[in-house]
Amino acid sequence: MTTGTNQTPLPVIERLIRVTRKGPVHVLLGLVGLLWLLPSIGLLVTSFRTRSASSQSGWWTAAWEGGWTLDNYDTILSSSGEGLPPPGFAKALWNTVIITVPSTILPVIVASLAAYGLVWMNFRFRNTIYLGIVAMLVIPLQVTWVPVLKLFNTLDLTGSFNGLILAHTAYGLPFAVFLLVRGFSEVPRSLIEAARIDGASHIQTFRKIVLPLAMPVIISLTIFQFVWVWNDLMNALIFVQDVNKFPLTISIRNLLGQYGNEWHLLAAGAFVSMVVPLIVFLSLQRFYVRGLTAGAVKG
Amino acid sequence: MKRENNMKRLMRWLVPLLALSLIAAACGDDDDSDTSAPSEQSDSDSSDSGGSDGDDSSDGESGDSSIGGSIEIMSNWGGPEQVGFEEVLAAFTKATGIEATYVSERDQETVLPTRIAGGSPPDVSIFSRPGQVQQFVDDGVLVSYADLGVDMSLLENHYSQSVLDLGTFNGELYGLLTAVNSKSTFWYKPASFSAQGFEEPSTVDELDAIIEGYVDAGLTPLAIGALDGWTLTDWFENLYVRVAGPENYNKLFVTHEIEWTDPTVVETMEIFADLLTPVDDVVLGGAAGANSTAFIDAFDQVLNDDAEIYYEGGFMGNFARENFPDLVGGEDYTFFPFPEIDPAFGAPVVGGGSFAIAFNNTPQVKAFIEFLASPEANEVWATTSEGARINPNSGVGADLFADPLTGLEAAAILAADVFVFDGSDLAPSAVGGDAMFTGLQMFLENPDDINGVLEFIEAAADAAY
Amino acid sequence: MVAVEVGKGQGLSISRLLKSRGEIWAGPGLLLLATFFVWPLLRTIWVSFHKGSIIKPTREFVGINNYTDLLTNDPSFLKTELPPWSALFNSGLWVVFFTVGVIGVGLLVAVLGDDVKYEKALKAAVFLPIVISFTAASVVFRLVFAADSRIGSVNALWTTFGFDSVAWLGQAGTANTTLIVAGIWVWTSLSMTLLSSAYRSVPTELRDAARVDGATAAQTFWRVSFPVMRPTVVVVAVTMIINALKAVDLVLVMTEGGPSASSRIVGFTVFWEIFNNNRAGYGSSAAVLLLILVLPLMWYQMRNAGLDGETS
């Protein structure tokens, strides 16, 4: 990966260390990589096999046992008729995008503001509030469904995208605040004080100092919130009640009959669905810049 | 500095992206014109919607007046079953002009009560656990058929009284039984039987002999998908109703007048133990293997010739067709009826099905229920391109079914003297959906400790009824 | 308050407001949290003292009976005889082994895999499990650990070594462990990502200085890098412990808590009792119990890595 802001070539020491870091380390890493990758490869192979082939032989035998088919993907991708029941693949994909993008951006924004307030500003009860927010991480979401649904009904938000987006924003907050408070606390106090002395407002301090320095944490949070919402099934089931608004997770799940026989379709569905989050993950990687605090003190 | 550039870059597409998506979300919400059912369910004043939407529908077909409007139906059918049901709904729309939206919720047991409690239930749900329906009735959230104004003679003409009784709670009819299946079908491979010289057993003793015969021949007789605990409960229910009779059956499951520690239950469990022991020889993979095998996978094992016979309901035929397209139903695999124990009770059919229950009192719901009860609807349902269902409706002949095995099952259900509903669905969910599963899985692991298992289930039952 | 004072860098009065009151910055967040968490939590606590269904949760007041039943009368939650597989016990195992596993592997990849040629591929491989969704992950693991050695990868390997096939998901002893393995497979993605970025933020000058002073790679890590990363490690640990308690999705699809309720965890009990058994009060009491159990953790986290903006 890039070495980020450091313009100087790597010091000799680093290069020396790197040379000695061979052998056992690489073997170990290779083993981990393989272990992690194997189940995913198994799933990939299974997604190209027929149901009967998968139930008679393991995926690693697929090369000679056969049973290859494109039907699973065909079923997932086609929009009508034999394919996904309403709303159809294209609409479901679009629905997922509509739900996921705001549900990622909003909690990050709200949590950033809240975390800044909690860490760098004074207000009463802030320790208690922080403790409370962290405690909310523990609350299983299911116990919140009924009261929230009742509230949505009075606000006429039931079954709308806005309701689900609001719910996701709220549900993502505890972890987001938790993470960002940690990230924002890492900013050296000296920097903040220097800025305040220079007359910067909180907004300016937030934008120019805290945000850039905490960028890696914010990126991590964004990635995970995105993946979480993209793959969310249960909350969508509860809050989205209109068939045409179903996201991909629900419409793929509904390919299963009542008895769940068609899990081979789930395998194909997983790979189709994962393209977007994977792209998000890979493209946001470049915002992970190494050693940000290095050189910051000079600023 | 580069990090500032990164920040700026991020901001530059962040704001428009957010704005765009919020606009899209808002537009998506206004987009209700192509959906048939607005998600906000009002109560009984949707007669207004009848007037406004009723135009673009059918051409004055028969049936009730084209009242138009819309209806939202929820059930747990997906995949092929959904395809079949949508065809039935298409026929409904053609006959009445009412737009019908089917909402498939595989997790209906979770989603439905939540939506009810949250205040936005669907119009109709087709729900397979009568025990839970009883709780809905007690909670006061269902509309009875009498309140809907459903034409009772329509129902009485086409359904037997016992079927209507199944959907009657607290003295009122709340649910029409649809999409039934028989769980008294025992699957076997004719080739395997003839190789061993076996014939279809008519008593459980003969079945036991077959099992022992297989073991002696060095084969594994049974594959059980006990990971799905309800398969074990189905075994138990068939055995129990043959040991104790249908009245006691209902006393055990519906009213809890008979407790789980009752001698009839003990006797049943002893017969069950006789059939299954020694578990490691009789059941593929032993208790641990069975407890980690899902029920469809277990059937696959039989069709793959790892085991010889398999017990579960008539719907298994569908999976055999889907998963083993090379095998021929009726020739390579078929079923015999679950054998008798006490000749006095014969061979009752234990079956499952789903009840159409109503949450909103609207003319569209009334029209839907009446349509569902009509012979025409049930004929459509028996002849759909996929997911054909059997209905206990007198207008449906067993010969309608494209698949011979389904026809066989339908004939068995329609001809049955006694039809009892799946016990684990009759009981409250804490018992039928939890304690029975766990208890019977424990039994499989340790078939000697019958009393321990029964006390465990009884403890849960005690709290639940 | 409304007067606009134009001065050097003062801006509008709104910003002056924002400058002084942290409550406004945190306001929207707090409002959402109050609505979506605090209010339902209070309601849950209230419901936990009753017996009822989802639709009518407060049908009957029963005091602390739900709690006493849960702790003394429910062998699937707390078993007092061996073997001890029950929700509370299993959650204990999850908390220990899952957390250690996830952090261990996460650290391994984050630190050792930093700046190697195949770093991107390695990290993508570790990240992949969480992208494929829990449902798909459960399908994979059901296949991987299938009892039939022709289908199950693990058993296929196991039998080539001459052992008998093991029904990993079907036995009380191994079911919970298998689930923990699946959990580690999925969640290392998060720990690796956070620990990676933490490792990267360790100033290279510090590390170089240590090496110049003759420290080995290991010493450099433990004495220099790790202390800088420590707050993040704590965050990851806390998050993972909480995930361990709440991981309902995996358990639900892979074993449904079986066999014989031997692979349940506390979070699963909450979900199962409320939604499957329709016992809202009983399930709520398990949820409250969960919260009580985690409080010491919260307190520790607050004490050791509190709110004040501090650097190492």
Side-chain angles (χ1 to χ4, degrees):
Chain A
M1 283 287 288
T2 61
T3 46
T5 52
N6 290 334
Q7 312 293 350
T8 57
L10 290 169
V12 178
I13 307 236
E14 284 277 324
R15 282 194 250 150
L16 201 67
I17 301 300
R18 199 157 312 147
V19 162
T20 54
R21 266 209 299 167
K22 56 184 180 201
V25 168
H26 290 304
V27 167
L28 187 58
L29 288 180
L31 198 62
V32 170
L34 199 67
L35 273 181
W36 250 252
L37 208 49
L38 273 182
S40 304
I41 294 181
L43 193 66
L44 184 64
V45 171
T46 304
S47 72
F48 285 107
R49 301 181 81 204
T50 60
R51 173 72 171 80
S52 49
S54 295
S55 60
Q56 292 173 36
S57 56
W59 62 266
W60 60 94
T61 64
W64 56 89
E65 290 275 359
W68 298 99
T69 177
L70 282 178
D71 284 347
N72 300 344
Y73 283 96
D74 201 42
T75 310
I76 304 260
L77 289 175
S78 49
S79 267
S80 62
E82 287 297 309
L84 289 181
F89 176 74
K91 188 112 205 304
L93 183 63
W94 180 236
N95 290 342
T96 309
V97 173
I98 293 183
I99 294 171
T100 311
V101 174
S103 301
T104 305
I105 298 178
L106 278 177
V108 173
I109 292 179
V110 174
S112 303
L113 295 175
Y116 182 83
L118 279 170
V119 176
W120 293 113
M121 299 173 79
N122 284 315
F123 64 88
R124 287 169 292 186
F125 308 127
R126 87 187 167 139
N127 278 330
T128 324
I129 289 184
Y130 178 61
L131 188 64
I133 290 179
V134 172
M136 286 175 211
L137 279 172
V138 191
I139 298 177
L141 292 185
Q142 304 93 10
V143 307
T144 69
W145 283 337
V146 174
V148 171
L149 209 53
K150 280 197 185 150
L151 180 68
F152 276 11
N153 273 323
T154 49
L155 293 179
D156 213 26
L157 279 175
T158 316
S160 71
F161 283 132
N162 290 332
L164 182 59
I165 291 173
L166 198 62
H168 273 304
T169 302
Y171 290 144
L173 277 181
F175 180 62
V177 171
F178 184 50
L179 202 59
L180 290 181
V181 162
R182 181 46 36 214
F184 285 11
S185 307
E186 301 274 299
V187 176
R189 167 153 278 199
S190 46
L191 280 185
I192 306 276
E193 283 171 359
R196 302 304 304 281
I197 291 172
D198 282 349
S201 68
H202 273 295
I203 299 185
Q204 290 168 318
T205 319
F206 177 65
R207 270 188 47 215
K208 296 225 159 74
I209 299 192
V210 175
L211 272 192
L213 287 181
M215 195 45 84
V217 176
I218 295 182
I219 296 294
S220 297
L221 178 64
T222 308
I223 292 176
F224 275 92
Q225 181 69 6
F226 188 90
V227 171
W228 185 259
V229 177
W230 186 271
N231 284 331
D232 165 67
L233 178 66
M234 289 312 286
N235 290 310
L237 279 177
I238 299 286
F239 291 110
V240 175
Q241 295 167 2
D242 180 354
V243 170
N244 283 298
K245 299 202 174 96
F246 277 174
L248 214 50
T249 43
I250 297 185
S251 60
I252 289 181
R253 183 103 144 85
N254 287 346
L255 285 174
L256 298 182
Q258 181 184 358
Y259 294 103
N261 189 38
E262 297 81 359
W263 46 258
H264 54 300
L265 293 174
L266 282 185
F271 280 96
V272 166
S273 168
M274 107 178 157
V275 172
V276 173
L278 203 55
I279 292 178
V280 169
F281 172 67
L282 290 174
S283 55
L284 285 183
Q285 288 290 300
R286 86 174 103 111
F287 289 102
Y288 280 126
V289 173
R290 186 191 306 270
L292 270 182
T293 49
V297 191
K298 302 194 201 108
Chain B
M1 289 208 55
K2 191 132 174 241
R3 79 177 109 88
E4 286 259 344
N5 286 342
N6 280 345
M7 265 286 294
K8 288 210 180 95
R9 215 190 305 159
L10 197 60
M11 285 299 165
R12 213 171 286 140
W13 52 258
L14 195 78
V15 172
L17 190 64
L18 179 63
L20 196 69
S21 45
L22 285 176
I23 294 175
C27 288
D29 279 343
D30 296 339
D31 197 7
D32 278 336
S33 46
D34 52 292
T35 69
S36 22
S39 15
E40 288 78 40
Q41 288 302 330
S42 55
D43 30 32
S44 34
D45 49 18
S46 10
S47 36
D48 305 324
S49 52
S52 42
D53 301 357
D55 26 84
D56 49 320
S57 50
S58 65
D59 13 66
E61 280 269 9
S62 63
D64 300 345
S65 49
S66 298
I67 54 178
S70 60
I71 184 172
E72 185 191 3
I73 303 155
M74 178 194 280
S75 187
N76 59 353
W77 302 318
E81 304 141 1
Q82 180 170 353
V83 173
F85 189 59
E86 303 258 14
E87 289 177 23
V88 176
L89 289 183
F92 171 66
T93 303
K94 194 149 174 267
T96 61
I98 301 174
E99 295 263 5
T101 308
Y102 171 66
V103 178
S104 168
E105 295 281 10
R106 284 199 71 235
D107 305 280
Q108 193 178 199
E109 270 113 29
T110 303
V111 177
L112 183 61
T114 308
R115 278 186 57 174
I116 298 171
S120 57
D123 289 314
V124 169
S125 161
I126 310 189
F127 200 80
S128 59
R129 283 197 192 168
Q132 176 78 317
V133 176
Q134 174 71 58
Q135 290 177 0
F136 286 155
V137 172
D138 290 336
D139 287 334
V141 294
L142 289 185
V143 181
S144 73
Y145 280 17
D147 285 341
L148 279 174
V150 169
D151 182 6
M152 289 302 180
S153 61
L154 195 60
L155 296 174
E156 283 154 15
N157 283 344
H158 297 295
Y159 292 88
S160 71
Q161 191 55 42
S162 61
V163 166
L164 292 177
D165 282 343
L166 283 173
T168 302
F169 303 91
N170 298 359
E172 296 249 13
L173 182 63
Y174 283 94
L176 179 65
L177 183 61
T178 66
V180 295
N181 53 59
S182 161
K183 293 198 177 189
S184 296
T185 56
F186 211 114
W187 295 85
Y188 72 102
K189 296 175 286 189
S192 169
F193 261 28
S194 53
Q196 302 293 330
F198 294 146
E199 289 187 6
E200 294 191 359
S202 50
T203 67
V204 167
D205 284 334
E206 289 173 18
L207 177 63
D208 201 22
I210 290 179
I211 290 178
E212 285 175 11
Y214 273 126
V215 175
D216 290 337
L219 297 168
T220 311
L222 279 172
I224 301 185
L227 176 68
D228 295 306
W230 50 267
T231 57
L232 296 174
T233 71
D234 290 345
W235 273 95
F236 175 79
E237 287 149 16
N238 272 290
L239 290 171
Y240 186 77
V241 75
R242 285 159 172 71
V243 165
E247 283 188 24
N248 285 338
Y249 182 91
N250 282 326
K251 283 190 186 159
L252 176 65
F253 288 111
V254 180
T255 59
H256 198 223
E257 280 170 56
I258 293 187
E259 297 192 348
W260 284 85
T261 42
D262 188 85
T264 50
V265 182
V266 177
E267 188 188 339
T268 308
M269 292 298 286
E270 284 170 354
I271 297 179
F272 197 10
D274 271 342
L275 284 173
L276 293 184
T277 48
V279 177
D280 285 328
D281 293 330
V282 170
V283 180
L284 185 64
N291 275 336
S292 66
T293 309
F295 80 103
I296 301 179
D297 296 333
F299 194 43
D300 288 348
Q301 286 170 334
V302 170
L303 294 174
N304 271 330
D305 290 330
D306 291 328
E308 304 304 316
I309 56 178
Y310 178 82
Y311 163 66
E312 241 319 316
F315 44 80
M316 297 310 297
N318 292 329
F319 305 130
R321 260 179 312 145
E322 277 178 36
N323 300 343
F324 291 87
D326 297 332
L327 299 180
V328 179
E331 288 177 24
D332 295 314
Y333 54 89
T334 184
F335 59 81
F336 57 80
F338 203 100
E340 296 183 1
I341 297 179
D342 186 336
F345 297 125
V349 171
V350 177
S354 305
F355 296 89
I357 52 180
F359 293 95
N360 293 326
N361 191 343
T362 69
Q364 287 80 16
V365 173
K366 168 179 183 292
F368 179 69
I369 302 286
E370 287 176 353
F371 177 77
L372 215 54
S374 67
E376 297 80 44
N378 287 290
E379 276 179 32
V380 173
W381 214 342
T383 51
T384 56
S385 60
E386 282 186 64
R389 306 305 295 262
I390 306 170
N391 281 284
N393 182 300
S394 65
V396 176
D399 50 337
L400 280 177
F401 294 94
D403 176 51
L405 287 176
T406 313
L408 204 61
E409 187 190 350
I413 295 177
L414 294 170
D417 292 325
V418 180
F419 179 91
V420 288
F421 204 85
D422 184 323
S424 52
D425 289 335
L426 285 174
S429 348
V431 175
D434 191 13
M436 277 180 75
F437 295 2
T438 308
L440 288 171
Q441 283 173 337
M442 282 162 44
F443 166 73
L444 196 60
E445 287 170 344
N446 191 2
D448 296 324
D449 186 20
I450 292 181
N451 286 322
V453 167
L454 293 180
E455 278 167 19
F456 172 79
I457 302 179
E458 179 54 31
D462 202 35
Y465 281 91
Chain C
M1 214 76 98
V2 185
V4 173
E5 188 180 337
V6 180
K8 240 197 331 220
Q10 290 293 334
L12 291 174
S13 59
I14 300 290
S15 94
R16 281 182 75 197
L17 208 65
L18 284 175
K19 189 162 67 163
S20 50
R21 309 235 105 214
E23 287 92 335
I24 298 195
W25 284 69
L30 292 180
L31 182 63
L32 280 176
L33 286 171
T35 319
F36 282 80
F37 285 96
V38 178
W39 157 236
L41 177 63
L42 294 174
R43 191 178 164 277
T44 302
I45 297 178
W46 177 238
V47 167
S48 74
F49 296 121
H50 295 75
K51 221 176 166 179
S53 67
I54 302 179
I55 302 174
K56 293 262 184 308
T58 50
R59 193 186 302 147
E60 188 195 331
F61 183 77
V62 291
I64 60 167
N65 280 358
N66 284 332
Y67 292 93
T68 49
D69 276 343
L70 198 60
L71 290 171
T72 60
N73 218 3
D74 190 346
S76 67
F77 191 74
L78 181 62
K79 222 171 174 194
T80 46
E81 37 169 55
L82 293 173
W85 306 105
S86 52
L88 213 49
F89 179 73
N90 289 340
S91 285
L93 290 180
W94 269 85
V95 165
V96 172
F97 291 106
F98 171 73
T99 312
V100 167
V102 170
I103 293 186
V105 182
L107 265 182
L108 197 78
V109 176
V111 173
L112 291 180
D114 188 54
D115 214 27
V116 290
K117 277 204 214 86
Y118 49 86
E119 179 184 8
K120 219 169 181 174
L122 174 65
K123 291 193 176 167
V126 176
F127 187 74
L128 206 55
I130 204 164
V131 185
I132 65 174
S133 89
F134 287 118
T135 323
S138 310
V139 170
V140 175
F141 268 81
R142 285 259 289 260
L143 280 181
V144 167
F145 283 100
D148 185 340
S149 63
R150 275 172 329 173
I151 306 177
S153 331
V154 174
N155 271 330
L157 205 59
W158 199 245
T159 47
T160 53
F161 289 142
F163 298 113
D164 283 332
S165 272
V166 177
W168 303 98
L169 289 170
Q171 281 168 194
T174 51
N176 189 47
T177 312
T178 309
L179 288 177
I180 293 180
V181 170
I184 294 178
W185 184 69
V186 171
W187 284 105
T188 303
S189 52
L190 177 59
S191 98
M192 171 204 74
T193 307
L194 290 176
L195 292 173
S196 267
S197 86
Y199 185 65
R200 291 235 187 109
S201 69
V202 174
T204 41
E205 296 98 52
L206 287 181
R207 276 191 276 159
D208 293 340
R211 295 221 195 93
V212 164
D213 284 349
T216 64
Q219 285 171 327
T220 314
F221 176 69
W222 288 110
R223 299 263 173 82
V224 176
S225 310
F226 190 78
V228 176
M229 292 170 67
R230 197 167 155 276
T232 307
V233 174
V234 173
V235 163
V236 174
V238 170
T239 309
M240 288 306 156
I241 290 178
I242 293 176
N243 272 337
L245 295 169
K246 281 205 310 187
V248 181
D249 319 55
L250 278 175
V251 178
L252 194 59
V253 183
M254 284 180 74
T255 59
E256 253 189 26
S260 319
S262 65
S263 63
R264 290 196 183 183
I265 55 173
V266 178
F268 179 85
T269 302
V270 173
F271 174 81
W272 194 249
E273 291 293 344
I274 296 181
F275 290 99
N276 187 65
N277 296 350
N278 211 17
R279 287 153 76 176
Y282 196 63
S284 301
S285 63
V288 175
L289 205 60
L290 193 58
L291 199 57
I292 295 177
L293 286 175
V294 178
L295 279 179
L297 182 70
M298 297 294 123
W299 182 79
Y300 165 80
Q301 143 76 12
M302 269 285 305
R303 284 283 304 277
N304 278 11
L307 259 188
D308 316 311
E310 283 162 6
T311 62
S312 55

